[in-house]
Amino acid sequence: MENQIRKIAVIGTGTLGTQIAVQAAHFGCQVAAYDADKESFARSHKDLKSVFDKTSTPPLFTPELWEEEARKVRLCDEMGDAVKDAELVVEAVPEDIELKRKVFSQIDQLAPRDALLATNSSSIPISKIESATNRPEKCLNLHFYFPVLGTNIVDVMGGTKTTEEVLERGKAWVRSIGCIPLTVKKELLGFCFNRVWRAVKREVLHMWANGYVDFRDIDRGWMVFTGMPQGPFGLMDNVGLDVVYDIEMVYYNESKDPKDRPPRALKEKIQRGELGRKTGKGFYTYPNPEYERSDFIK
Ligand code: NAD
């Protein structure tokens, strides 16, 4: 395809940025990456490999190949070096609007004038970041899912000035790295599929916290119905219950609808340090959660 994006830069190589960089390298992009913490890529890469080694769903490429593809990413000590030739810059720094605006302003000054600038934010619409740059028409949300390897969908959303051409180029690039773009036609908190998943979370948390059903039965139903290896509670444990709570609060703060407020029982779990897989206990206990046992859905 003419005008196809092949040179990309990833800013912030934590959990998501590292996966985006490796995925793009695997699909033939020239990838440069920068992180304020020089150890971040190596650390994230190692943690992710251990997750992929254990995963029961087949990734797009094997853990061995993941190692090899990671070596193709050019790690840079300076942001300017990473973005100097980029056609697209994907920002994946932490979910803090002021930090993202600062990083976007820096990228804007260092990247070529015609480069597209995307944020991987889970909840911040690009309309709240674009004004930190002198190119709002070239800014967009490209929201990847964890793990990028197995969940190859990307929400695509423009801001107040994003052109159709920029959105089309963004979507073409997403397709070129083995992912399916999900287009948001007008600004919506939570984007496309992320909002669907969020509606599921809100409902099941309410059913659990108010004592209607055992959370395991919701997961059993979900696993049989969808064929997935976990249900919503297992998935939330993997994301981290603190992260889930913060995301629910973003929705609640926007709507102020009491139905959107995450249940107190979830907050209490977090206060007890039950954050999910990362602390060994969430809804389930780890490393061998009940839902991974063969008799869980028998
Ligand atoms: P993370 O904490 O794992 O990684 C963030 C990285 O950004 C860190 O390595 C940090 O050193 C780096 N960083 C911080 N400030 C920086 C700066 N000024 N310049 C360059 N690098 C800087 O976070 P993550 O989970 O990868 O999330 C990143 C973004 O992706 C967030 O916006 C988050 O909402 C989004 N996201 C996360 C997930 C997920 O499952 N973790 C899924 C989809 C989207």
Side-chain angles (χ1 to χ4, degrees):
M1 182 191 155
E2 220 186 307
N3 223 2
Q4 200 182 22
I5 292 168
R6 292 285 79 190
K7 294 180 187 162
I8 75 150
V10 176
I11 304 302
T13 52
T15 308
L16 254 286
T18 296
Q19 295 179 75
I20 297 166
V22 177
Q23 174 99 357
H26 173 68
F27 282 91
C29 292
Q30 288 174 42
V31 185
Y34 167 77
D35 195 294
D37 173 357
K38 290 188 186 12
E39 305 305 317
S40 182
F41 184 86
R43 199 173 47 241
S44 307
H45 170 257
K46 190 161 163 262
D47 290 350
L48 288 160
K49 186 172 179 298
S50 69
V51 172
F52 299 152
D53 280 343
K54 282 201 294 190
T55 191
S56 50
T57 44
L60 278 175
F61 44 98
T62 61
E64 292 70 35
L65 198 50
W66 159 264
E67 287 269 32
E68 204 176 307
E69 303 302 51
R71 283 195 284 273
K72 294 182 184 164
V73 176
R74 186 170 69 85
L75 301 175
C76 303
D77 289 341
E78 305 290 336
M79 187 190 287
D81 184 24
V83 304
K84 67 182 181 205
D85 299 320
E87 293 158 338
L88 166 70
V89 183
V90 182
E91 165 276 309
V93 302
E95 194 75 343
D96 168 337
I97 186 159
E98 288 317 319
L99 173 64
K100 286 192 188 279
R101 285 182 61 85
K102 185 175 136 218
V103 168
F104 258 67
S105 161
Q106 291 170 329
I107 298 169
D108 184 46
Q109 284 160 34
L110 298 165
R113 292 306 322 152
D114 53 357
L116 273 49
L117 310 188
T119 177
N120 182 50
S121 169
S122 301
S123 62
I124 306 167
I126 191 67
S127 63
K128 296 209 166 114
I129 304 175
E130 63 189 19
S131 61
T133 76
N134 292 307
R135 61 179 100 184
E137 73 289 351
K138 293 196 168 66
C139 294
L140 70 164
N141 286 98
L142 290 181
H143 171 252
F144 288 78
Y145 287 73
F146 180 92
V148 176
L149 275 180
T151 319
N152 60 328
I153 46 177
V154 179
D155 294 313
V156 181
M157 186 169 90
T160 63
K161 300 196 169 68
T162 316
T163 64
E164 244 346 276
E165 191 211 336
V166 165
L167 289 172
E168 287 309 317
R169 289 191 72 207
K171 285 191 259 180
W173 176 71
V174 165
R175 283 192 202 94
S176 78
I177 62 161
C179 295
I180 302 162
L182 308 177
T183 309
V184 183
K185 296 197 282 184
K186 52 185 178 179
E187 186 175 302
L188 182 64
L189 186 64
F191 320 120
C192 179
F193 188 71
N194 207 30
R195 193 171 168 111
V196 175
W197 162 231
R198 189 266 158 171
V200 171
K201 276 185 297 186
R202 185 180 71 163
E203 186 60 24
V204 301
L205 284 169
H206 162 75
M207 290 164 72
W208 157 72
N210 291 292
Y212 289 110
V213 287
D214 186 316
F215 66 87
R216 295 171 193 82
D217 279 342
I218 294 177
D219 277 4
R220 286 187 180 98
W222 179 277
M223 288 162 72
V224 171
F225 192 71
T226 65
M228 286 175 69
Q230 300 142 342
F233 290 93
L235 284 163
M236 286 190 273
D237 270 359
N238 280 291
V239 170
L241 299 187
D242 50 340
V243 177
V244 169
Y245 185 87
D246 288 347
I247 293 171
E248 291 305 292
M249 285 304 290
V250 171
Y251 285 95
Y252 171 65
N253 288 332
E254 184 83 6
S255 73
K256 297 285 183 249
D257 180 342
K259 288 198 203 109
D260 281 338
R261 188 190 265 281
R264 187 174 307 143
L266 180 63
K267 181 84 184 165
E268 287 166 1
K269 279 182 94 57
I270 294 164
Q271 284 164 342
R272 290 196 297 272
E274 296 171 15
L275 306 184
R277 190 181 282 274
K278 61 188 167 189
T279 58
K281 183 161 173 49
F283 287 101
Y284 298 92
T285 48
Y286 296 85
N288 299 308
E290 237 177 304
Y291 59 79
E292 284 179 3
R293 293 208 309 246
S294 58
D295 61 354
F296 187 68
I297 47 172
K298 278 206 179 121

